[in-house]
Amino acid sequence: MSDTIKYFLEESKMPKTWYNIAADLPKPMEPPLHPGTLKPIGPDDLAPLFPMALIGQEVSQDREIEIPEPVREIYKKWRPSPLYRARALEKHLDTPAKIYYKYEGVSPSGSHKPNTAVAQAFYNKEEGTKKITTETGAGQWGTSLAFACKLFGIELDVYMVKVSFEQKPYRKLVMQTYGARCVASPSNETDSGKAILAKDPNNTGSLGIAISEAVEMAAKNPDTKYALGSVLNHVLMHQTIVGNEAILQMEMADDYPDILVGCTGGGSNFSGLANPFFRKKF
Amino acid sequence: MHTLGSQFIPPATHSGGLRYHGMAPLVSHLKEINALEAKAYGQKECFEAGVNFARTEGIVPAPEATHAVRGAIDAALECKKNGESKTILFNLCGHGHFDMKAYGDYFEGSLAEDKFDKGSMDKALEDLPKIA
Protein backbone atom coordinates (compact mmCIF):
# COMPACT_ATOMS: atom_id res chain seq x y z
CA MET A 1 0.00 0.00 0.00
CA SER A 2 1.28 3.42 -0.98
CA ASP A 3 1.93 6.04 1.67
CA THR A 4 1.50 9.00 -0.66
CA ILE A 5 0.58 12.23 1.11
CA LYS A 6 0.32 14.71 -1.78
CA TYR A 7 -1.18 14.14 -5.20
CA PHE A 8 0.29 16.65 -7.64
CA LEU A 9 -1.19 17.11 -11.08
CA GLU A 10 1.28 18.29 -13.75
CA GLU A 11 0.66 21.75 -15.21
CA SER A 12 0.07 20.15 -18.60
CA LYS A 13 -2.81 18.10 -17.12
CA MET A 14 -4.59 21.12 -15.65
CA PRO A 15 -8.22 21.04 -16.89
CA LYS A 16 -8.91 23.48 -19.74
CA THR A 17 -12.62 23.98 -19.01
CA TRP A 18 -14.90 25.05 -16.20
CA TYR A 19 -17.99 22.94 -15.52
CA ASN A 20 -21.42 24.59 -15.71
CA ILE A 21 -23.84 22.55 -13.59
CA ALA A 22 -26.85 24.36 -15.12
CA ALA A 23 -26.59 21.94 -18.07
CA ASP A 24 -27.18 18.89 -15.85
CA LEU A 25 -29.55 20.03 -13.07
CA PRO A 26 -32.42 17.52 -12.75
CA LYS A 27 -34.71 20.53 -12.17
CA PRO A 28 -33.78 23.96 -13.59
CA MET A 29 -33.30 26.99 -11.33
CA GLU A 30 -35.88 29.77 -11.08
CA PRO A 31 -34.79 32.99 -12.83
CA PRO A 32 -33.48 35.81 -10.57
CA LEU A 33 -35.96 38.68 -10.08
CA HIS A 34 -35.32 42.40 -10.32
CA PRO A 35 -35.67 43.83 -6.77
CA GLY A 36 -37.67 46.82 -8.08
CA THR A 37 -40.08 45.23 -10.56
CA LEU A 38 -40.00 41.63 -9.21
CA LYS A 39 -39.82 40.53 -12.87
CA PRO A 40 -37.02 38.27 -14.15
CA ILE A 41 -33.73 40.15 -14.62
CA GLY A 42 -32.46 40.51 -18.20
CA PRO A 43 -28.97 41.19 -19.58
CA ASP A 44 -29.79 44.93 -19.89
CA ASP A 45 -30.31 45.17 -16.13
CA LEU A 46 -26.87 43.72 -15.48
CA ALA A 47 -24.93 45.45 -18.30
CA PRO A 48 -24.00 48.58 -16.29
CA LEU A 49 -22.33 46.37 -13.67
CA PHE A 50 -20.77 43.37 -15.48
CA PRO A 51 -19.06 42.70 -18.82
CA MET A 52 -21.27 40.88 -21.37
CA ALA A 53 -19.09 37.74 -21.34
CA LEU A 54 -19.81 37.24 -17.62
CA ILE A 55 -23.53 38.00 -18.07
CA GLY A 56 -23.52 35.32 -20.78
CA GLN A 57 -21.88 32.83 -18.42
CA GLU A 58 -24.42 33.69 -15.71
CA VAL A 59 -27.28 32.32 -17.85
CA SER A 60 -25.35 29.82 -19.99
CA GLN A 61 -26.64 26.25 -20.45
CA ASP A 62 -23.34 25.04 -21.98
CA ARG A 63 -21.95 22.13 -19.98
CA GLU A 64 -18.31 23.10 -20.39
CA ILE A 65 -16.87 26.56 -20.88
CA GLU A 66 -13.30 26.95 -22.04
CA ILE A 67 -10.92 28.66 -19.66
CA PRO A 68 -9.23 31.38 -21.78
CA GLU A 69 -5.55 30.71 -22.32
CA PRO A 70 -4.33 33.91 -20.57
CA VAL A 71 -6.34 32.86 -17.48
CA ARG A 72 -4.82 29.35 -17.58
CA GLU A 73 -1.34 30.86 -17.81
CA ILE A 74 -1.96 32.85 -14.62
CA TYR A 75 -3.59 29.88 -12.88
CA LYS A 76 -0.30 28.04 -13.39
CA LYS A 77 1.37 30.31 -10.83
CA TRP A 78 -0.26 28.12 -8.17
CA ARG A 79 -2.41 25.55 -9.98
CA PRO A 80 -2.98 22.68 -10.09
CA SER A 81 -3.27 22.91 -6.31
CA PRO A 82 -2.27 19.84 -4.29
CA LEU A 83 -4.67 17.16 -3.07
CA TYR A 84 -3.56 15.89 0.32
CA ARG A 85 -4.35 12.68 2.14
CA ALA A 86 -4.69 13.67 5.82
CA ARG A 87 -2.90 10.59 7.15
CA ALA A 88 -1.79 12.28 10.40
CA LEU A 89 -5.32 13.48 11.15
CA GLU A 90 -6.74 10.02 10.37
CA LYS A 91 -4.26 8.49 12.83
CA HIS A 92 -5.04 11.13 15.47
CA LEU A 93 -8.77 10.37 15.14
CA ASP A 94 -8.10 6.62 15.00
CA THR A 95 -10.69 6.34 12.24
CA PRO A 96 -11.03 3.73 9.48
CA ALA A 97 -12.18 6.58 7.19
CA LYS A 98 -9.87 8.04 4.57
CA ILE A 99 -9.70 11.85 4.63
CA TYR A 100 -8.51 13.87 1.64
CA TYR A 101 -8.41 17.64 1.26
CA LYS A 102 -7.91 19.96 -1.67
CA TYR A 103 -5.72 22.85 -0.47
CA GLU A 104 -6.49 26.25 -2.01
CA GLY A 105 -4.28 28.17 0.43
CA VAL A 106 -1.35 27.88 -2.02
CA SER A 107 -2.68 30.76 -4.14
CA PRO A 108 -0.98 34.19 -3.97
CA SER A 109 -3.68 35.55 -1.65
CA GLY A 110 -3.99 32.34 0.37
CA SER A 111 -7.51 31.26 -0.63
CA HIS A 112 -9.66 29.97 -3.51
CA LYS A 113 -10.76 33.51 -4.45
CA PRO A 114 -8.18 34.18 -7.21
CA ASN A 115 -9.77 31.38 -9.31
CA THR A 116 -12.61 33.76 -10.15
CA ALA A 117 -10.79 37.07 -9.59
CA VAL A 118 -8.37 36.34 -12.45
CA ALA A 119 -11.21 35.25 -14.76
CA GLN A 120 -13.33 38.31 -13.96
CA ALA A 121 -10.39 40.69 -14.47
CA PHE A 122 -9.62 39.01 -17.81
CA TYR A 123 -13.17 39.42 -19.23
CA ASN A 124 -13.35 43.01 -17.97
CA LYS A 125 -10.06 43.83 -19.69
CA GLU A 126 -11.34 42.27 -22.94
CA GLU A 127 -14.34 44.59 -22.89
CA GLY A 128 -12.37 47.75 -22.11
CA THR A 129 -13.11 48.18 -18.40
CA LYS A 130 -10.71 50.75 -16.90
CA LYS A 131 -11.70 50.40 -13.29
CA ILE A 132 -13.41 47.83 -11.06
CA THR A 133 -15.12 48.44 -7.73
CA THR A 134 -15.82 45.77 -5.16
CA GLU A 135 -16.48 45.19 -1.48
CA THR A 136 -14.60 43.04 0.98
CA GLY A 137 -15.35 41.90 4.50
CA ALA A 138 -12.36 40.21 6.08
CA GLY A 139 -10.27 41.00 3.00
CA GLN A 140 -9.80 37.65 1.20
CA TRP A 141 -11.77 38.73 -1.84
CA GLY A 142 -10.34 42.26 -2.01
CA THR A 143 -6.80 40.90 -1.82
CA SER A 144 -7.45 38.36 -4.58
CA LEU A 145 -9.05 40.89 -6.93
CA ALA A 146 -6.23 43.37 -6.23
CA PHE A 147 -3.74 40.74 -7.43
CA ALA A 148 -5.83 39.95 -10.53
CA CYS A 149 -6.50 43.58 -11.51
CA LYS A 150 -2.82 44.46 -11.31
CA LEU A 151 -1.96 41.63 -13.73
CA PHE A 152 -4.45 43.01 -16.30
CA GLY A 153 -3.73 46.71 -15.70
CA ILE A 154 -7.17 47.56 -14.27
CA GLU A 155 -7.60 50.09 -11.48
CA LEU A 156 -9.35 48.74 -8.37
CA ASP A 157 -11.23 50.44 -5.53
CA VAL A 158 -12.11 48.14 -2.64
CA TYR A 159 -14.76 49.19 -0.11
CA MET A 160 -13.76 47.36 3.05
CA VAL A 161 -16.12 47.04 6.01
CA LYS A 162 -14.81 49.65 8.47
CA VAL A 163 -14.56 47.32 11.47
CA SER A 164 -12.32 44.94 9.46
CA PHE A 165 -10.40 47.85 7.91
CA GLU A 166 -9.36 48.86 11.40
CA GLN A 167 -8.93 45.37 12.90
CA LYS A 168 -7.09 43.74 9.97
CA PRO A 169 -4.51 46.27 8.78
CA TYR A 170 -2.37 43.59 7.09
CA ARG A 171 -4.98 42.60 4.52
CA LYS A 172 -5.42 46.25 3.60
CA LEU A 173 -1.64 46.52 3.17
CA VAL A 174 -1.56 43.45 0.92
CA MET A 175 -4.19 45.10 -1.31
CA GLN A 176 -2.07 48.24 -1.36
CA THR A 177 1.02 46.19 -2.22
CA TYR A 178 -0.85 44.89 -5.29
CA GLY A 179 -1.71 48.50 -6.18
CA ALA A 180 -5.39 48.66 -5.20
CA ARG A 181 -7.02 51.51 -3.29
CA CYS A 182 -8.77 50.32 -0.14
CA VAL A 183 -11.44 52.59 1.38
CA ALA A 184 -13.10 52.12 4.78
CA SER A 185 -16.86 51.69 4.32
CA PRO A 186 -19.15 53.57 4.93
CA SER A 187 -17.13 56.32 3.18
CA ASN A 188 -17.72 59.89 2.14
CA GLU A 189 -17.11 58.98 -1.51
CA THR A 190 -20.61 57.71 -2.31
CA ASP A 191 -24.19 58.93 -1.77
CA SER A 192 -25.06 55.70 0.04
CA GLY A 193 -22.02 56.02 2.32
CA LYS A 194 -22.71 59.70 3.03
CA ALA A 195 -26.35 58.99 3.90
CA ILE A 196 -25.32 56.40 6.48
CA LEU A 197 -22.60 58.60 7.98
CA ALA A 198 -25.04 61.53 8.23
CA LYS A 199 -27.29 59.37 10.41
CA ASP A 200 -24.48 57.71 12.36
CA PRO A 201 -20.92 59.08 12.01
CA ASN A 202 -19.54 56.12 14.00
CA ASN A 203 -21.17 53.38 11.86
CA THR A 204 -18.68 50.47 11.66
CA GLY A 205 -20.06 49.21 8.35
CA SER A 206 -21.41 45.97 6.97
CA LEU A 207 -20.93 43.90 3.84
CA GLY A 208 -24.31 45.15 2.60
CA ILE A 209 -23.27 48.81 2.93
CA ALA A 210 -19.92 48.13 1.22
CA ILE A 211 -21.74 46.42 -1.68
CA SER A 212 -24.04 49.45 -2.03
CA GLU A 213 -21.03 51.77 -2.27
CA ALA A 214 -19.19 49.63 -4.82
CA VAL A 215 -22.30 49.09 -6.99
CA GLU A 216 -23.13 52.82 -6.89
CA MET A 217 -19.68 53.79 -8.19
CA ALA A 218 -19.87 51.21 -11.01
CA ALA A 219 -23.40 52.26 -12.01
CA LYS A 220 -22.40 55.96 -12.16
CA ASN A 221 -19.28 55.55 -14.31
CA PRO A 222 -19.42 54.00 -17.80
CA ASP A 223 -15.81 52.75 -17.77
CA THR A 224 -16.20 51.20 -14.30
CA LYS A 225 -17.64 47.75 -13.56
CA TYR A 226 -18.44 45.88 -10.36
CA ALA A 227 -17.15 42.43 -9.33
CA LEU A 228 -18.59 39.98 -6.81
CA GLY A 229 -16.53 37.28 -5.09
CA SER A 230 -19.24 34.62 -4.61
CA VAL A 231 -23.00 33.87 -4.90
CA LEU A 232 -23.47 34.38 -8.69
CA ASN A 233 -23.54 31.42 -11.09
CA HIS A 234 -20.49 32.53 -13.08
CA VAL A 235 -18.41 33.01 -9.92
CA LEU A 236 -19.27 29.51 -8.69
CA MET A 237 -18.47 28.12 -12.13
CA HIS A 238 -14.97 29.69 -12.17
CA GLN A 239 -14.28 27.75 -8.95
CA THR A 240 -15.02 24.38 -10.61
CA ILE A 241 -11.37 24.18 -11.64
CA VAL A 242 -10.96 22.95 -8.02
CA GLY A 243 -13.29 19.97 -8.42
CA ASN A 244 -12.16 19.22 -11.99
CA GLU A 245 -8.60 18.87 -10.69
CA ALA A 246 -9.73 16.90 -7.64
CA ILE A 247 -11.45 14.29 -9.84
CA LEU A 248 -8.16 13.64 -11.67
CA GLN A 249 -6.21 13.58 -8.40
CA MET A 250 -8.65 11.14 -6.78
CA GLU A 251 -8.01 8.90 -9.81
CA MET A 252 -4.27 9.18 -9.08
CA ALA A 253 -5.05 8.05 -5.52
CA ASP A 254 -7.17 5.22 -6.99
CA ASP A 255 -10.02 6.34 -4.76
CA TYR A 256 -13.37 8.19 -5.01
CA PRO A 257 -15.15 10.25 -2.33
CA ASP A 258 -18.28 8.94 -0.59
CA ILE A 259 -18.68 12.24 1.30
CA LEU A 260 -17.85 15.79 0.16
CA VAL A 261 -17.53 18.62 2.69
CA GLY A 262 -17.21 22.38 2.20
CA CYS A 263 -18.05 25.51 4.16
CA THR A 264 -20.48 28.00 2.64
CA GLY A 265 -20.91 31.75 3.06
CA GLY A 266 -21.77 32.79 -0.47
CA GLY A 267 -21.23 29.22 -1.71
CA SER A 268 -18.30 29.40 -4.11
CA ASN A 269 -15.64 27.19 -2.53
CA PHE A 270 -18.20 24.46 -1.80
CA SER A 271 -19.60 24.59 -5.34
CA GLY A 272 -16.13 24.69 -6.85
CA LEU A 273 -15.27 21.37 -5.27
CA ALA A 274 -18.68 19.69 -5.35
CA ASN A 275 -20.28 20.63 -8.70
CA PRO A 276 -17.97 18.52 -10.89
CA PHE A 277 -18.77 15.53 -8.64
CA PHE A 278 -22.53 16.25 -8.91
CA ARG A 279 -22.07 15.88 -12.67
CA LYS A 280 -21.37 12.18 -12.13
CA LYS A 281 -24.32 11.85 -9.77
CA PHE A 282 -27.08 13.56 -11.79
CA MET B 1 -32.22 32.15 -2.97
CA HIS B 2 -32.14 31.29 0.73
CA THR B 3 -31.80 34.61 2.53
CA LEU B 4 -32.53 36.39 5.79
CA GLY B 5 -33.15 39.66 3.97
CA SER B 6 -31.25 42.90 3.65
CA GLN B 7 -32.20 44.16 7.11
CA PHE B 8 -30.66 41.20 8.99
CA ILE B 9 -27.38 41.92 10.76
CA PRO B 10 -25.28 38.76 11.25
CA PRO B 11 -23.48 38.17 14.56
CA ALA B 12 -19.82 39.25 14.67
CA THR B 13 -18.24 35.80 14.25
CA HIS B 14 -14.61 35.56 13.17
CA SER B 15 -15.44 33.80 9.91
CA GLY B 16 -15.99 37.00 7.94
CA GLY B 17 -16.49 35.01 4.74
CA LEU B 18 -19.37 33.06 6.28
CA ARG B 19 -21.12 36.13 7.69
CA TYR B 20 -23.12 36.44 4.53
CA HIS B 21 -26.79 35.64 4.93
CA GLY B 22 -27.76 35.29 1.28
CA MET B 23 -26.81 31.83 0.03
CA ALA B 24 -25.91 31.36 -3.65
CA PRO B 25 -29.14 30.64 -5.57
CA LEU B 26 -27.43 27.55 -7.02
CA VAL B 27 -26.48 26.11 -3.61
CA SER B 28 -29.98 26.98 -2.30
CA HIS B 29 -31.44 25.10 -5.29
CA LEU B 30 -29.23 22.03 -4.68
CA LYS B 31 -30.51 22.02 -1.08
CA GLU B 32 -34.14 22.30 -2.28
CA ILE B 33 -33.71 19.25 -4.54
CA ASN B 34 -32.02 17.33 -1.67
CA ALA B 35 -28.69 16.99 -3.47
CA LEU B 36 -26.82 18.14 -0.36
CA GLU B 37 -27.21 18.27 3.40
CA ALA B 38 -26.75 21.55 5.32
CA LYS B 39 -25.22 21.65 8.81
CA ALA B 40 -24.62 24.60 11.13
CA TYR B 41 -21.69 24.74 13.56
CA GLY B 42 -20.79 27.15 16.35
CA GLN B 43 -17.38 28.80 16.05
CA LYS B 44 -15.81 27.22 19.17
CA GLU B 45 -16.22 23.64 17.92
CA CYS B 46 -14.80 24.80 14.58
CA PHE B 47 -11.69 26.41 16.09
CA GLU B 48 -11.19 23.26 18.17
CA ALA B 49 -11.17 21.28 14.89
CA GLY B 50 -8.88 23.88 13.28
CA VAL B 51 -6.35 23.58 16.11
CA ASN B 52 -6.43 19.77 15.88
CA PHE B 53 -5.86 20.05 12.14
CA ALA B 54 -2.89 22.43 12.58
CA ARG B 55 -1.33 20.13 15.19
CA THR B 56 -1.57 17.07 12.96
CA GLU B 57 -1.49 18.23 9.33
CA GLY B 58 0.55 21.41 9.95
CA ILE B 59 -1.65 23.94 8.11
CA VAL B 60 -3.49 26.61 10.12
CA PRO B 61 -6.91 26.81 8.42
CA ALA B 62 -8.75 30.09 7.81
CA PRO B 63 -11.66 30.49 10.27
CA GLU B 64 -14.09 29.80 7.40
CA ALA B 65 -12.25 26.60 6.47
CA THR B 66 -12.35 25.32 10.08
CA HIS B 67 -16.07 24.67 9.46
CA ALA B 68 -15.18 22.25 6.65
CA VAL B 69 -12.52 20.65 8.88
CA ARG B 70 -15.15 20.20 11.62
CA GLY B 71 -17.54 18.62 9.13
CA ALA B 72 -14.87 16.24 7.80
CA ILE B 73 -13.75 15.25 11.31
CA ASP B 74 -17.36 14.57 12.37
CA ALA B 75 -17.87 12.40 9.28
CA ALA B 76 -14.66 10.49 10.09
CA LEU B 77 -15.75 9.98 13.72
CA GLU B 78 -19.13 8.70 12.50
CA CYS B 79 -17.22 6.16 10.37
CA LYS B 80 -15.24 5.14 13.44
CA LYS B 81 -18.44 4.60 15.43
CA ASN B 82 -19.94 2.47 12.64
CA GLY B 83 -16.70 0.73 11.66
CA GLU B 84 -16.98 2.06 8.09
CA SER B 85 -14.02 2.93 5.86
CA LYS B 86 -15.60 5.73 3.84
CA THR B 87 -13.64 8.21 1.73
CA ILE B 88 -14.10 11.85 2.71
CA LEU B 89 -12.95 14.81 0.60
CA PHE B 90 -13.14 18.41 1.81
CA ASN B 91 -12.08 21.80 0.50
CA LEU B 92 -9.49 23.51 2.69
CA CYS B 93 -10.24 26.82 1.00
CA GLY B 94 -7.59 28.98 2.65
CA HIS B 95 -4.98 29.44 5.35
CA GLY B 96 -5.53 31.53 8.46
CA HIS B 97 -2.28 33.49 8.68
CA PHE B 98 -4.13 36.83 8.68
CA ASP B 99 -6.72 35.60 11.16
CA MET B 100 -4.56 34.74 14.16
CA LYS B 101 -6.47 37.20 16.38
CA ALA B 102 -9.41 34.79 16.09
CA TYR B 103 -7.23 31.87 17.24
CA GLY B 104 -5.97 34.12 20.07
CA ASP B 105 -9.54 34.76 21.20
CA TYR B 106 -10.20 31.00 21.08
CA PHE B 107 -7.16 30.22 23.25
CA GLU B 108 -8.08 32.98 25.72
CA GLY B 109 -11.63 31.65 25.96
CA SER B 110 -13.08 34.99 24.88
CA LEU B 111 -14.72 33.65 21.74
CA ALA B 112 -18.47 34.36 21.87
CA GLU B 113 -20.87 31.59 20.89
CA ASP B 114 -23.92 33.01 19.20
CA LYS B 115 -27.18 31.20 19.73
CA PHE B 116 -29.75 30.92 16.96
CA ASP B 117 -32.39 33.54 17.69
CA LYS B 118 -35.73 32.75 16.05
CA GLY B 119 -37.11 36.17 17.00
CA SER B 120 -34.50 38.12 15.04
CA MET B 121 -34.87 35.74 12.09
CA ASP B 122 -38.66 36.17 12.00
CA LYS B 123 -38.25 39.94 12.22
CA ALA B 124 -35.71 39.99 9.34
CA LEU B 125 -37.93 37.77 7.19
CA GLU B 126 -40.87 40.19 7.61
CA ASP B 127 -38.98 42.69 5.45
CA LEU B 128 -38.61 40.32 2.49
CA PRO B 129 -40.63 41.21 -0.60
CA LYS B 130 -43.55 38.88 -1.27
CA ILE B 131 -43.15 36.82 -4.43
CA ALA B 132 -45.41 34.20 -5.92
Side-chain angles (χ1 to χ4, degrees):
Chain A
M1 179 150 172
S2 151
D3 283 321
T4 305
I5 300 249
K6 293 187 300 300
Y7 295 90
F8 275 121
L9 204 58
E10 284 174 36
E11 281 181 10
S12 61
K13 302 261 175 67
M14 190 173 78
K16 293 187 167 64
T17 55
W18 292 302
Y19 168 60
N20 179 19
I21 195 171
D24 292 320
L25 284 173
K27 186 181 160 202
M29 289 169 69
E30 303 281 347
L33 304 180
H34 190 287
T37 62
L38 298 184
K39 298 255 183 325
I41 284 180
D44 291 348
D45 297 314
L46 298 172
L49 298 181
F50 301 103
M52 286 315 291
L54 293 176
I55 295 170
Q57 289 180 1
E58 188 63 18
V59 296
S60 172
Q61 294 293 315
D62 296 341
R63 184 168 286 110
E64 287 183 332
I65 292 179
E66 191 186 336
I67 306 173
E69 214 219 324
V71 173
R72 291 207 308 268
E73 284 304 306
I74 296 168
Y75 275 0
K76 279 198 224 158
K77 290 181 190 291
W78 72 96
R79 309 211 69 85
S81 69
L83 176 83
Y84 282 84
R85 170 89 184 264
R87 292 186 188 273
L89 180 63
E90 288 169 16
K91 198 172 165 196
H92 171 73
L93 298 173
D94 188 26
T95 175
K98 289 180 277 184
I99 306 174
Y100 295 84
Y101 59 96
K102 185 76 168 146
Y103 184 43
E104 290 296 307
V106 294
S107 82
S109 63
S111 79
H112 63 295
K113 295 285 184 185
N115 295 330
T116 184
V118 171
Q120 292 191 49
F122 166 79
Y123 290 113
N124 269 287
K125 184 70 183 177
E126 289 276 285
E127 296 186 28
T129 304
K130 298 278 185 288
K131 185 175 183 173
I132 293 178
T133 58
T134 197
E135 73 289 337
T136 199
Q140 288 274 22
W141 168 241
T143 307
S144 303
L145 194 59
F147 156 71
C149 281
K150 180 46 69 185
L151 295 180
F152 287 102
I154 300 171
E155 250 186 274
L156 176 67
D157 281 357
V158 181
Y159 292 88
M160 184 170 187
V161 179
K162 193 181 277 172
V163 62
S164 301
F165 185 90
E166 284 159 4
Q167 280 175 359
K168 301 196 173 189
Y170 294 117
R171 282 241 208 264
K172 172 178 71 194
L173 289 169
V174 178
M175 288 181 234
Q176 203 179 339
T177 304
Y178 286 132
R181 200 171 68 94
C182 185
V183 183
S185 166
S187 77
N188 268 314
E189 299 187 358
T190 64
D191 293 343
S192 45
K194 279 182 208 158
I196 285 156
L197 289 174
K199 268 195 270 175
D200 175 12
N202 298 317
N203 189 300
T204 55
S206 75
L207 214 44
I209 296 169
I211 291 173
S212 300
E213 292 203 272
V215 167
E216 180 186 324
M217 292 313 271
K220 275 184 186 167
N221 299 291
D223 61 355
T224 302
K225 298 285 184 201
Y226 167 72
L228 191 59
S230 191
V231 177
L232 298 175
N233 296 337
H234 69 269
V235 181
L236 271 50
M237 187 191 71
H238 296 155
Q239 295 293 348
T240 58
I241 182 78
V242 177
N244 281 342
E245 285 177 6
I247 285 175
L248 299 174
Q249 289 164 310
M250 290 302 298
E251 279 171 16
M252 290 166 77
D254 197 20
D255 211 341
Y256 194 83
D258 300 299
I259 302 167
L260 289 173
V261 183
C263 59
T264 56
S268 77
N269 96 72
F270 170 79
S271 295
L273 178 72
N275 288 5
F277 287 95
F278 277 127
R279 178 182 193 172
K280 293 172 182 275
K281 202 178 154 187
F282 289 151
Chain B
M1 179 175 189
H2 291 168
T3 179
L4 293 173
S6 62
Q7 299 304 307
F8 182 78
I9 298 167
T13 62
H14 276 288
S15 298
L18 303 185
R19 285 185 65 210
Y20 189 71
H21 51 286
M23 182 48 59
L26 175 62
V27 177
S28 305
H29 183 71
L30 290 168
K31 175 75 178 73
E32 288 297 311
I33 62 172
N34 295 316
L36 57 85
E37 184 192 344
K39 270 189 190 177
Y41 287 116
Q43 55 180 350
K44 278 183 201 165
E45 55 189 332
C46 292
F47 277 101
E48 182 199 11
V51 169
N52 273 332
F53 190 81
R55 290 178 182 176
T56 51
E57 293 296 313
I59 298 168
V60 179
E64 292 82 357
T66 61
H67 292 70
V69 175
R70 177 79 262 167
I73 288 178
D74 281 3
L77 291 175
E78 185 72 18
C79 286
K80 181 177 173 178
K81 202 172 85 186
N82 301 330
E84 290 175 314
S85 173
K86 285 190 177 164
T87 296
I88 300 158
L89 169 61
F90 74 95
N91 198 354
L92 189 68
C93 61
H95 67 67
H97 295 180
F98 288 108
D99 306 288
M100 295 317 294
K101 173 75 169 65
Y103 279 86
D105 288 353
Y106 171 73
F107 291 130
E108 282 168 18
S110 60
L111 210 56
E113 197 72 285
D114 292 292
K115 291 234 162 51
F116 172 70
D117 174 8
K118 192 169 180 305
S120 68
M121 184 185 79
D122 290 344
K123 191 168 177 303
L125 291 179
E126 279 175 18
D127 294 319
L128 284 182
K130 300 280 171 279
I131 51 170

